[in-house]
Amino acid sequence: MVTEQDPIKLMKQQVGKAAADRVKSGMIVGLGTGSTAAYMIQFLGERLQSGQLKDIKGIPTSFQSNVLAKQYGVPLTTLDEIDHMDIAIDGADEVDPQKNLIKGGGAAHTREKIVDCLAEQFIVVVDSSKLVDRLGSTFLLPVEVIPMAITPVIRAIEKLGGQPELRMGVKKAGPVVTDEGNLVIDVKFNSIDNPAELEKSLNNIPGVLENGLFVGVADVILVGELQDGQPIVREIA
Ligand code: 5RP
């Protein structure tokens, strides 16, 4: 019965399926990272297996999405092999009313930004808990940093008014190491008034590879919600 299942999981599954249904045969698809994007990859695989979908190619945004694509039978390619990308589908940690995002909960925001920005259409898949009035209100801002620069970058972020903390591994001693071999600093800002400016200021610090602010990149937000206990999908275009 639907009510016995985790409501967040239900919303993520529903929105992942809705996004996978938007992919058409022949498309090149950016494959996002995280638990919601994982459902999208699974549903893409199911559509391929049933013959409903043909000849798509995926560009993974992380080790995780690479592994999932192989597991569910989604053929992969690389940025070197293609001259365009039709669509990218990815999750987010926060979405504001202007469709600006915080990403990087899975420490994959650098590759995600590369892939998501290249797509002709970038669809974000979230459950309703990710919608916020102002970025930074529920989630710390992830910043990927080249290891030798960690100390000066922490000082520079403090000068910008942030409170940085090094992301530590779970079930792994020591810090999180990204797919690119770097470290992640999660930063608390009391108020992110101008996401576009902060995105640039952070990326201007020598040693910062990329931060998790995605400003003006998302085209469509698909939001998984519960209505009378049933999962539904709302579109913000
Ligand atoms: C990974 C991400 C994810 O897309 C984001 O953390 C959302 O994940 P989930 O769908 O599991 O809530 O940015 O770097």
Side-chain angles (χ1 to χ4, degrees), residues 8 12 32-38 61-62 64 90-94 102-110 112 125-127 130 139 142 167 214:
I8 297 276
K12 287 183 178 198
T33 299
S35 54
T36 321
T61 55
S62 61
Q64 181 208 34
D90 204 345
D93 301 299
E94 283 189 348
I102 285 185
K103 286 183 52 54
H109 55 279
T110 300
E112 290 174 324
V125 284
V126 289
D127 64 82
K130 307 291 185 67
F139 204 80
R167 189 180 299 184
F214 284 47

Side-chain angles (χ1 to χ4, degrees), residues 54-68:
K54 288 186 174 56
D55 302 325
I56 67 161
K57 286 198 175 94
I59 306 269
T61 55
S62 61
F63 187 74
Q64 181 208 34
S65 51
N66 190 307
V67 167
L68 287 172

Side-chain angles (χ1 to χ4, degrees), residues 2 7 10-16 18 126-128 222-235:
V2 160
L10 274 175
M11 291 189 275
K12 287 183 178 198
Q13 279 174 331
Q14 198 72 11
V15 82
V126 289
D127 64 82
S128 54
L222 295 181
V223 187
E225 296 180 330
L226 283 186
Q227 204 174 65
D228 303 325
Q230 297 296 320
I232 58 154
V233 174
R234 179 164 63 96
E235 174 173 342

Side-chain angles (χ1 to χ4, degrees), residues 4-226:
E4 285 172 5
Q5 285 180 273
D6 172 5
I8 297 276
K9 183 176 166 184
L10 274 175
M11 291 189 275
K12 287 183 178 198
Q13 279 174 331
Q14 198 72 11
V15 82
K17 183 174 187 317
D21 282 343
R22 293 188 177 212
V23 175
K24 298 188 175 70
S25 293
M27 278 187 166
I28 299 171
V29 189
L31 304 173
T33 299
S35 54
T36 321
Y39 288 123
M40 177 274 297
I41 297 171
Q42 180 186 340
F43 287 119
L44 275 185
E46 287 176 12
R47 289 190 66 205
L48 284 167
Q49 191 141 23
S50 71
Q52 208 186 84
L53 196 60
K54 288 186 174 56
D55 302 325
I56 67 161
K57 286 198 175 94
I59 306 269
T61 55
S62 61
F63 187 74
Q64 181 208 34
S65 51
N66 190 307
V67 167
L68 287 172
K70 287 178 181 156
Q71 182 181 335
Y72 292 114
V74 178
L76 294 174
T77 186
T78 66
L79 294 179
D80 297 328
E81 315 295 324
I82 59 165
D83 58 5
H84 77 287
M85 195 187 309
D86 298 285
I87 193 169
I89 303 168
D90 204 345
D93 301 299
E94 283 189 348
V95 180
D96 79 3
Q98 287 73 45
K99 295 187 283 186
N100 296 323
L101 319 173
I102 285 185
K103 286 183 52 54
H109 55 279
T110 300
R111 275 210 231 173
E112 290 174 324
K113 200 179 277 192
I114 294 167
V115 172
D116 298 345
C117 287
L118 281 171
E120 280 157 32
Q121 187 183 40
F122 173 31
I123 299 181
V124 179
V125 284
V126 289
D127 64 82
S128 54
S129 70
K130 307 291 185 67
L131 301 181
V132 296
D133 289 333
R134 184 178 281 253
L135 292 180
S137 41
T138 62
F139 204 80
L140 304 181
L141 176 60
V143 179
E144 182 165 359
V145 182
I146 291 167
M148 61 90 72
I150 196 77
T151 301
V153 168
I154 283 176
R155 287 192 194 121
I157 288 176
E158 283 168 345
K159 276 197 187 145
L160 284 178
Q163 295 159 253
E165 58 184 59
L166 184 61
R167 189 180 299 184
M168 302 305 285
V170 176
K171 291 198 176 180
K172 185 256 180 200
V176 165
V177 177
T178 69
D179 290 355
E180 274 67 47
N182 298 311
L183 303 175
V184 176
I185 297 174
D186 291 305
V187 189
K188 165 101 190 110
F189 284 98
N190 284 335
S191 178
I192 300 182
D193 299 323
N194 189 335
E197 199 180 284
L198 183 60
E199 183 184 15
K200 288 194 193 100
S201 304
L202 286 167
N203 283 357
N204 269 343
I205 300 171
V208 168
L209 187 59
E210 190 54 83
N211 69 81
L213 283 166
F214 284 47
V215 179
V217 185
D219 296 300
V220 174
I221 315 286
L222 295 181
V223 187
E225 296 180 330
L226 283 186

